[in-house]
Amino acid sequence: MNSTDLAFTPALEQAQLIRNKVISPLELTQLYLERIEKLDASLNSFFTVMAEQAITEAKVKTEQLAASKIELSSFPAFFGVPIAIKDFAPVAGVPCTYGIHLLKNRVATEDAGLVTRIRLAGFTILGKTATSEIGTSPYTESRGFPPTRNPWNLTYTPGGSSGGSAAAVAAGLCPVAQGGDAGGSVRIPAACCGLVGIKASRGRISSAPLGEKLGGFGVEGTLGRTVADAAALLDVMSGYVLGDPYWLPPPSISFLEATKQVPTDLRIGFATTIEPIGAAHPDCTQAVVETVQLLETLGHSTEQIDLNFSKLLEPLTIIWQATVDVGVPGIFLGKLNRLLLKRSRSRPSGAYPQAMMKLHEIARQIICDLNRFDVLVLPVVMHPTIRVGEWAKLRAAKELEKIVQWIAPCPPFNVTGQPAISIPAGFTPDGLPLGVQLVGRPRDETTIIALAAQLEAAKPWSHNRPTFAR
């Protein structure tokens, strides 16, 4: 196996190669750090590369394997496998910027709860990946940082706000990565970069040591090239931490085990029009239609449905605007966030709780209306990915309008708290990846993961690699 093939080998297989002593944690870590040094100047997928820490940790793990007299199967599942962490999750001793240039030297004093779980699983952290400023835009072009680019075509965005994590995985700079999703921020980059991206259910993954995010709308997620890798990382990251405001019981089987199940005769609803936005771009529509046709050949029943999320727009906008007020003066923020901050501060103090109550009411209705379906199949975005800087010269209000129209299929399921997974669904005529999302019932990641794995087996995608990274 050559170095490029190894870099694109799934994380689960890398873990087995390490346990079989075909490759060492140090060799694998060095491979990825060399690729980062070679390729990331063009991608800008990392804000911080933790090269020294990663090498030191990988050396220790390599020595532990060599000296150990216990069964190698007793080592943590991902012992020695590298990973990247989005620069929203604190990693002790490493800057945590939230995409705000003013905070580029602010060093975290403790690990996030999910980072602790990632370490316990044996992963070696390569660094912190780029994100959009405060996570508010679906492209990764934070003020004061170079824009993150899509490895499939460097003139296009990898999406956001977990754009750095997606670009790094797609370019073979790490096998898997952590991300966060408050309105599509895992699913959108996954679709833009040809990856699997899982948005967990509300309460599945702890937000410790912080509290809730966006009233519970912001959740964590995983990015990988295969369903099994993304599911296994979800297993690692899941679980309650004392004091969490939301929590779910563990699934009846692991999410990795779910990838081995074969779902039968599911009731599937699908839509390619999202009101009040309208119909998706023909390429995105075709991706949904072809996925539905494949599902029918696999024995599932499908039904086209109408979706109208018009009532969500006003209260969701109020909540979204409020997230920008993080104690950083507006002068240090980009124009979009300055507009959101100004609008948020101009509203009466009661607007936020009233909007939250309204969203809870609408979420209940959405879940009840769609409960007859096991899974929904929808576009991830309303049109294929955009060029880097394509909306940069627009007035902030117009940019916001463009964003809302593009990402319309994603935020509703942050409001409802339902799990969703973006999977690859082919390419545009220009060679840019397309994705579709599978949305599950509340707290039911198991079904959508099993269905995604079934689709992957029927029409594999993990062999696809951007020319840039070969």
Side-chain angles (χ1 to χ4, degrees):
M1 184 185 299
N2 63 40
S3 62
T4 301
D5 288 342
L6 180 57
F8 281 92
T9 297
L12 286 162
E13 293 181 28
Q14 290 180 350
Q16 190 61 50
L17 290 173
I18 288 172
R19 283 193 291 273
N20 291 344
K21 298 190 177 181
V22 174
I23 189 170
S24 73
L26 179 58
E27 290 169 327
L28 193 55
T29 298
Q30 287 174 328
L31 167 64
Y32 281 118
L33 289 174
E34 288 169 2
R35 288 182 63 84
I36 291 170
E37 184 176 6
K38 175 184 176 183
L39 300 175
D40 203 49
S42 298
L43 283 181
N44 304 310
S45 65
F46 283 86
F47 277 166
T48 303
V49 178
M50 298 163 52
E52 184 176 345
Q53 300 99 311
I55 288 294
T56 298
E57 185 175 325
K59 285 180 178 177
V60 171
K61 288 175 177 174
T62 298
E63 292 168 358
Q64 289 175 333
L65 281 173
S68 177
K69 295 182 180 180
I70 64 174
E71 288 292 326
L72 296 182
S73 59
S74 65
F75 279 82
F78 288 99
F79 191 81
V81 176
I83 193 172
I85 306 293
K86 180 181 179 180
D87 204 25
F88 262 48
V91 173
V94 180
C96 187
T97 71
Y98 296 92
I100 302 171
H101 192 258
L102 182 67
L103 305 181
K104 64 184 177 66
N105 294 320
R106 186 188 67 167
V107 175
T109 57
E110 61 180 321
D111 285 343
L114 64 90
V115 172
T116 299
R117 292 184 183 276
I118 284 170
R119 291 192 192 277
L120 289 173
F123 281 107
T124 299
I125 300 173
L126 294 172
K128 305 294 293 299
T129 54
T131 179
S132 60
E133 188 180 82
I134 320 179
T136 50
S137 63
Y139 35 86
T140 308
E141 300 171 26
S142 296
R143 183 185 183 188
F145 296 96
T148 304
R149 299 179 180 275
N150 193 320
W152 289 94
N153 186 324
L154 297 180
T155 63
Y156 285 82
T157 179
S161 61
S162 305
S165 287
V169 174
L173 306 188
C174 57
V176 288
Q178 173 268 339
D181 192 314
S185 290
V186 163
R187 289 163 287 164
I188 294 165
C192 291
C193 293
L195 302 175
V196 177
I198 301 176
K199 178 194 86 70
S201 297
R202 181 180 303 144
R204 181 67 66 198
I205 301 172
S206 173
S207 59
L210 305 175
E212 65 176 12
K213 298 177 181 179
L214 273 175
F217 300 163
V219 298
E220 305 298 336
T222 65
L223 288 150
R225 283 186 292 275
T226 68
V227 176
D229 272 2
L233 181 54
L234 182 59
D235 282 323
V236 167
M237 291 167 51
S238 296
Y240 172 76
V241 174
L242 189 65
D244 286 344
Y246 310 104
W247 61 91
L248 293 176
S252 58
I253 59 173
S254 73
F255 298 124
L256 178 58
E257 184 61 29
T259 66
K260 303 170 187 176
Q261 307 295 309
V262 180
T264 57
D265 195 24
L266 295 178
R267 292 168 295 173
I268 296 171
F270 71 96
T272 57
T273 297
I274 309 291
E275 297 299 346
I277 307 305
H281 183 280
D283 290 344
C284 299
T285 295
Q286 186 64 20
V288 171
V289 170
E290 290 181 358
T291 300
V292 169
Q293 291 172 343
L294 179 54
L295 288 167
E296 290 172 347
T297 67
L298 294 171
H300 305 293
S301 59
T302 66
E303 178 185 336
Q304 187 163 9
I305 58 174
D306 297 320
L307 289 179
N308 191 326
F309 296 133
S310 300
K311 293 180 180 180
L312 286 172
L313 283 179
E314 182 180 1
L316 186 55
T317 298
I318 292 172
I319 302 301
W320 191 26
Q321 290 170 354
T323 65
V324 180
D325 203 348
V326 293
V328 175
I331 193 174
F332 295 108
L333 300 176
K335 71 177 189 301
L336 174 63
N337 284 328
R338 290 199 302 272
L339 173 67
L340 296 175
L341 183 62
K342 179 181 179 181
R343 288 183 175 181
S344 177
R345 290 179 174 177
S346 68
R347 292 186 180 274
S349 59
Y352 184 95
Q354 289 172 1
M356 189 64 71
M357 287 188 290
K358 185 65 175 176
L359 287 173
H360 287 165
E361 176 186 340
I362 296 169
R364 184 182 295 275
Q365 189 62 54
I366 291 172
I367 291 170
C368 290
D369 289 346
L370 298 174
N371 190 55
R372 70 184 188 276
F373 298 110
D374 299 301
V375 177
L376 303 178
V377 180
L378 305 172
V380 177
V381 286
M382 297 300 282
H383 59 77
T385 188
I386 63 173
R387 293 181 183 274
V388 171
E390 184 168 331
W391 297 340
K393 294 183 179 180
L394 297 176
R395 292 181 296 106
K398 186 64 176 177
E399 181 183 3
L400 179 59
E401 180 183 326
K402 291 277 192 180
I403 290 172
V404 171
Q405 292 172 349
W406 189 33
I407 70 171
C410 285
F413 304 106
N414 293 87
V415 174
T416 64
Q418 292 168 260
I421 179 170
S422 174
I423 58 172
F427 295 87
T428 69
D430 295 330
L432 293 167
L434 292 166
V436 298
Q437 63 172 327
L438 313 178
V439 181
R441 285 176 166 156
R443 76 179 188 178
D444 186 16
E445 288 96 336
T446 300
T447 298
I448 58 172
I449 287 171
L451 187 60
Q454 188 180 38
L455 287 167
E456 181 182 30
K459 193 175 181 180
W461 55 66
S462 64
H463 60 280
N464 295 322
R465 302 177 188 175
T467 302
F468 165 82
R470 290 176 186 170

